[in-house]
Amino acid sequence: APAPAPAAAAVAAPKVSAPAVADKIAERFRTSNRGDRWRRPPRKWLNQLILATEERAEADRLVEAFSAYVDAQVPIRRWQQVGLIAALCRTRSWDALLDVLQRRRRLQLFLEQPKPLAAAVRALADDGAWEQLAALSRLLPSVLEPFAPA
């Protein structure tokens, strides 16, 4: 008998459900002591949620989870910051995107490159979200301040 093709032999990893991960994160935060760093949800769960977020309702849960990690003083990595913006663009959650950018300092969004913002501007324009694009353009001078030449 012929050997199975490598692609057919490989078992695909089950798709992670954004609502299930968000529920798991919320439950762990609910049951852990604020100062107990060993009982906090691991950062990899936030990574999974960022990657699994595909719907607008899931994007709202992502922002809640992201805020909970920041409130628990879990260090937020650069790719998680960019991933949050990308997930909000992917799900067309424009109001949530604007809210996140307005609260960027509290949410530890210290973007080191303007690329995610350029992608957000393109996504808003492609979607025809002109009102939100105008609001983002009013925010850009303060968001881009770190990139201004000295």
Side-chain angles (χ1 to χ4, degrees):
V11 176
K15 180 158 174 26
V16 176
S17 157
V21 176
D23 289 343
K24 190 165 60 167
I25 290 169
E27 179 62 24
R28 178 68 72 89
F29 273 125
R30 212 175 4 264
T31 59
S32 68
N33 292 331
R34 193 157 182 75
D36 184 2
R37 38 182 314 197
W38 303 112
R39 287 293 306 151
R40 293 187 304 211
R43 208 175 12 234
K44 73 178 181 178
W45 291 359
L46 179 60
N47 300 346
Q48 291 172 350
L49 184 56
I50 288 169
L51 294 173
T53 298
E54 296 175 352
E55 306 281 328
R56 203 169 281 173
E58 295 170 354
D60 293 338
R61 299 281 310 272
L62 170 58
V63 173
E64 290 172 17
F66 196 93
S67 295
Y69 275 88
V70 171
D71 291 344
Q73 299 179 344
V74 176
I76 301 296
R77 302 290 187 235
R78 182 180 328 143
W79 94 260
Q80 292 166 323
Q81 298 170 27
V82 172
L84 173 64
I85 292 172
L88 296 177
C89 290
R90 186 171 60 243
T91 60
R92 298 173 152 161
S93 301
W94 308 132
D95 292 333
L97 173 67
L98 291 171
D99 178 58
V100 160
L101 290 175
Q102 287 170 339
R103 298 183 306 135
R104 68 192 171 282
R105 286 188 177 91
R106 195 190 86 58
L107 291 174
Q108 297 182 15
L109 283 177
F110 303 114
L111 302 172
E112 294 184 7
Q113 296 181 4
K115 280 183 181 179
L117 299 172
V121 167
R122 268 193 309 282
L124 283 161
D126 289 347
D127 199 38
W130 306 118
E131 188 177 313
Q132 290 90 347
L133 182 56
L136 178 60
S137 65
R138 286 190 297 274
L139 266 176
L140 282 179
S142 63
V143 174
L144 293 175
E145 187 177 13
F147 307 111

